[in-house]
Amino acid sequence: MDIRAGTGIDFHILVEDESRPLLLGGIKIPGILALKGHSDSDVILHAVADAILGALGEGDIGDYFPDTDPELKDMDSGRIIKHAMELISKKGFRISNCDITLIAEKPRISIYKPSIIKSVADLLSIDQKRIGLKATTTEKMGALGRGEGVSCIATVLLISD
Ligand SMILES: [Zn+2]
């Protein structure tokens, strides 16, 4: 049996933009807040994808989905996860669990947690019980504490029989 752990971290600038949807783990969070970025800026999915790529030793999401590619503008980040999942099966692994921590003063995600967990579990093809999702703040310290952005840290464990 082979076991691989991976960590991913991502940051996006938080803005008020009613025209841009705010996506976290593939779930639309209603309101005027949005995350800036080239793709749909789903900070949770980006951290999870980088954790998978890290566990596989396969670089990072920027290697496959560069933010300079005009075709990838506002791209659904589910595509990034699908690509990472293809690499997992190509290398003979499966996901044992995924642990996610969102660091943000806003938005508050407590009521969306069950939908985000279900969405991420579906994307990773694992049971919802194998997803950990926590949210924390920086106690108002620094740029994240001033609500200038949102960060996410994700850890995955990959196993092969
Ligand atoms: Zn990102």
Side-chain angles (χ1 to χ4, degrees):
M1 182 157 135
D2 197 352
I3 301 175
R4 307 276 181 90
T7 306
I9 183 165
D10 195 34
F11 297 85
H12 281 271
I13 293 170
L14 188 68
V15 292
E16 290 187 357
D17 181 352
E18 264 167 310
S19 67
R20 190 171 165 82
L22 172 58
L23 286 152
L24 291 175
I27 295 297
K28 239 179 232 178
I29 309 296
I32 58 162
L33 296 173
L35 291 173
K36 264 174 81 170
H38 187 64
S39 68
D40 68 5
S41 307
D42 192 322
V43 69
I44 289 182
L45 295 189
H46 292 180
V48 169
D50 259 350
I52 293 170
L53 295 174
L56 293 171
E58 288 288 337
D60 63 53
I61 59 176
D63 296 338
Y64 304 93
F65 301 93
D67 63 6
T68 47
D69 185 343
E71 270 188 27
L72 303 179
K73 181 135 180 50
D74 299 326
M75 173 190 60
D76 172 3
S77 295
R79 257 179 76 185
I80 303 176
I81 297 288
K82 277 190 194 102
H83 178 73
M85 292 300 290
E86 280 165 21
L87 287 175
I88 288 177
S89 46
K90 210 186 278 179
K91 294 200 153 200
F93 284 91
R94 60 195 162 84
I95 297 177
S96 171
N97 75 306
C98 174
D99 187 22
I100 300 162
T101 304
L102 187 76
I103 306 161
E105 291 294 332
K106 51 186 181 180
R108 294 295 162 117
I109 61 157
S110 46
I111 59 167
Y112 304 107
K113 268 187 179 176
S115 352
I116 295 172
I117 288 171
K118 183 180 184 319
S119 166
V120 175
D122 288 349
L123 282 165
L124 300 182
S125 302
I126 55 175
D127 192 274
Q128 293 181 41
K129 291 192 186 89
R130 291 176 178 269
I131 306 277
L133 176 63
K134 293 98 60 198
T136 189
T137 70
T138 63
E139 300 280 343
K140 311 260 188 224
M141 289 184 290
L144 292 176
R146 290 189 296 273
E148 292 170 18
V150 167
S151 181
C152 183
I153 299 172
T155 305
V156 297
L157 198 68
L158 306 184
I159 49 175
S160 77
D161 303 312

